[in-house]
Structures are given as C-alpha cells and as structure tokens.
Amino acid sequence: MDSSTSNRREGGKLTFRDIVAIFFYTKRVFVFTFVGVIIGALLLAFVSPSTYTAKARLLVKPRIEKPVVFDEGADSRFNVVDNVSDQTLNTVVHLFSSADVLREVVKMHNLAPMDNDSEVLEAISELRGQFRAEPLATSNIVEIIYSAPDADQARDQLNTLLDAYIDYYIEVNQGLKGSLEFFDEQVALFRERYIQLSNELAAARKNLNLASPELQADNMLAVVRNLETRKAEIASQLKSSKERLSFLQGAYNKVGTAGYVGLTTELRQNYPALVEMERSLAQLIINKQTAESNFQPGSKPVTDAVEQYNNMRGQIRGYIRQVIGKLQLEGESGEEEIQSLQDSIDMAQANVGQLSADTVILQRIEFERGVAEKNYRLYEDKREAARISEEKNRSQFANVTIANRPLMPNSPSFPNIPLILILAIPVALLLALVACILSYSSDQALRSPADVQSRTRLRLLGTLDAV
C-alpha cells in the first residue's frame, strides 16, 4: 500500500471509488427496487380504474345591500359592495358540502333509495369525497372539480350539484318567504272552482240542449219533432225489412223443396249476389236434366251434375240463412232504438214543464261562475305582482352565478399513462439509490480501511494484503 493511499484513508475521507463500491455491494437491492417500482408504475397505469374529472366555475358577485333606514335626506338606493370578502367565498365553498344540496344529487340520479335514510347518508358521504371546491387566487371565482368513474356521470352530476347549490344558497340567504305562496294557493283554489262551474254549466246546457233561455221551449219542441221523425224512419225501415224477411223465407223454402229460388222484384234489387246464384242454379238444373236424359242413372256425368246442383242449392240456402239472420238482428236493433226514441220523446215532453226551473238553475251556475272567474283573475294579477316583487327581493341574494358549466371530459384524469411512464424511470432510479444507501448504512460489515476508522473511531495501523 503506498503512502498516499494510507494517508487518505487515515484521514477518514471517502473517495469516489469508495462511493461507487457501495452500489456494487448492494446491487441486488438496487435491481429489486428499480424493477419493483417499474412494475408498480405499469400496474398503476394499465390496471387502475379510470377516473374522469369535470370542472365548473362559480362567479361570486358583490352583494347588493339595502339601507336599513330610509330618510328623506338619505340615499335610499341599493348599495353595492365592490369587493367580495374571503368570508363570502369560504361560505360558498362550505355550503357545497351541505346535506340538503347533496341530497338533491342523490335524488335526481337515483344513487340511493330515498326511503332508506342510512343508504342516503352513505351516498351523501361518498359524494363529499368526489368533489372539491376551492376559490381561485386573486379572483371572485370558485372552482368545483368533480370526479366520477364515467364521463357522462361526472358532467351530469356536477350540473345537478350546481343547480341544487344555487337554489339552496339563495334560500339560505333569503331567509323569509314572501306572499307568493298564499297567492298561489288562492289562484289554484279559484281556478279549480271556475273550471268546475264551467264544466257544470256546459253539462247543464248539453243536457237541456239550450242555446239560450229564450229559445229553450223551441229547442225542446224541435227535439221532440226530430225524435218523432227518426222514429218514423226506423219504423219504415223495419217494415221494409220484415217484407224482405218474408220473401227470403219463402225463397228459402222453395230452394229446399222445389229446387228453384223464385226471387221477387224487391229481392232482385237488393241482393244481386242472390240473382247470380239463381242463374247459376237454373243452368245447373238444365245440366242435370241433360245428363239424366243422355246418360245412364248413376253414371259419372249424372253424379257430377247432381252434385253440382246440390252444392249450389246448399250455397243459396246458406246465403239466404245469413241474410235472414242479419235482417233479424237489424229488426231487433230497430225495435230497441224505437223504444229508446220513445223514451227520449217522453222525457223531452216531460221536461217542457220544467223550463222555468231549469232557467233558474242555469242562471245560478252562470252567476257563481262569473264570481269565480272574477276572483281567479284578481288573484292571478296579485300573484304576478307578488312574483315580480319576490324576484326583485331574490335578486339581492342571487350574487352567485354559474360562470362555466361543466363539459364532457374527453379523457380520464387518472391514470395519466404518459406521465406515469415518463416519471417511472427517474423515480425508480432515485428510490433504488436511496434503498442502496439505506441498506449499506444498516450493514455492520467492514469492507474497507475507511470503514474501520469511521465506525470504530480507532486509528488504522495497517492492513494485510489478501493471501
């Protein structure tokens, strides 16, 4: 060993070689730490669930303050404070975590059944961890950052949160309600009464068939005349139907016995299909007679002709039965309608004696309807005036407005794969170096003369070369 090396080590100073030697002694720790950090970064980048972040901003405007005392010499206009205090900004931030605001988000997006208080409170607690509200430096703006596993969910829930917060903020600061609720109730009451009386009036006029009380008697008599006319028309139709029914029954019997139809003029005019069937039957009768005269009984031409003839007779009988059934139903329906018309005629004639009483009823309904309409319009005007007054009062506290609505996040905010991959190598290298230093520091082995002097505080006399 030369004198310079001995003097250097005796002085307790570490050389660059000694520092590098530390990493050779702990190279396994270095490799394991480096590879572990790289694997952890890859898992964080590609396995971790995605989180989307939506952002919105609220503008806190100076509050409008109304003077307490109105004197003749004093300025009674509203005063506007130029600056927004930190207390106001912090109030805006803290009210975002209110259970009443977050409950609206839970309700609107069905995050929990509203009849289960424990699940609602749990959903509210989860929502508190999903957003962050903080005022921006040197501004009157509060930024809200909302995180969710889905881009649509982040945007929609943040929009609901903003709307619920604005309503809650105004309600908290306004404190007192105006008379708008009272006028709403009165308007609804008289509107319902007005609609009810209008329906009653329309129903009464419809039931009495009235255009005006003066024409009531003429209307009732006109109703009787119309009913009588309709009754006569139906009776005439029934008479004609009975005649056709009688003719059809005769034709049905003839087809069953004599083999021909024998349609009357009225049946020919009303049932052209039956006329065609009669012609076909006549031709089949001729064909049957021809076959019977030209061929032996029981031969195929005779059998076919007889079969066609019988089939046509069956078709004619079936068609006539169908028409007879239809006429019978029409007759029954006509009898019922005549009875119904007669009942209506009797009722109308009986109502003629009640004209004066009906007129009094209509006049009463019209009077009550007019009173209800007048009150309805009066309270409607009062409600509009109260609404305008309340909106003016409400504007004193609506000093928080939405400056920027949240937009749809295009990419997840976490994990940021490019950033994680870029930082993985330098972070892994730094942590590996730190792990090597800590491992070497905790190791009690003496590997160099400098270790003897630095750890034992003893003077080094000499070293022996390896044998």
Side-chain angles (χ1 to χ4, degrees), residues 418-433:
L419 180 62
I420 292 175
L421 296 180
I422 290 173
L423 296 179
I425 294 178
V427 171
L429 182 62
L430 178 62
L431 292 178
L433 294 176

Side-chain angles (χ1 to χ4, degrees), residues 12-45:
K13 296 181 180 180
L14 294 176
T15 65
F16 178 76
R17 180 180 179 182
D18 295 331
I19 295 174
V20 173
I22 294 174
F23 300 101
F24 282 98
Y25 296 145
T26 58
K27 57 184 178 181
R28 291 185 177 179
V29 176
F30 180 87
V31 173
F32 289 154
T33 304
F34 184 84
V35 173
V37 173
I38 294 297
I39 293 175
L42 293 176
L43 293 176
L44 182 65

Side-chain angles (χ1 to χ4, degrees), residues 137-202:
T138 65
S139 69
N140 297 341
I141 295 177
V142 176
E143 186 175 55
I144 302 92
I145 302 174
Y146 192 93
S147 300
D150 182 74
D152 291 332
Q153 182 180 350
R155 180 195 61 185
D156 296 341
Q157 291 185 5
L158 181 53
N159 269 318
T160 304
L161 178 65
L162 292 174
D163 295 334
Y165 172 77
I166 293 295
D167 294 337
Y168 180 73
Y169 181 82
I170 294 174
E171 180 181 356
V172 168
N173 285 275
Q174 186 173 355
L176 298 176
K177 295 182 179 180
S179 57
L180 182 60
E181 183 177 354
F182 168 76
F183 288 116
D184 284 338
E185 293 176 356
Q186 295 300 314
V187 167
L189 176 64
F190 283 104
R191 180 176 180 272
E192 182 179 358
R193 179 61 177 165
Y194 172 72
I195 294 175
Q196 178 184 357
L197 291 172
S198 297
N199 293 334
E200 290 182 5
L201 182 61

Side-chain angles (χ1 to χ4, degrees), residues 276-295:
E276 294 298 328
M277 289 181 179
E278 183 185 34
R279 292 176 180 174
S280 299
L281 182 63
Q283 182 62 44
L284 290 175
I285 291 174
I286 296 173
N287 294 340
K288 182 174 76 68
Q289 292 174 352
T290 302
E292 289 176 348
S293 62
N294 294 334
F295 298 96

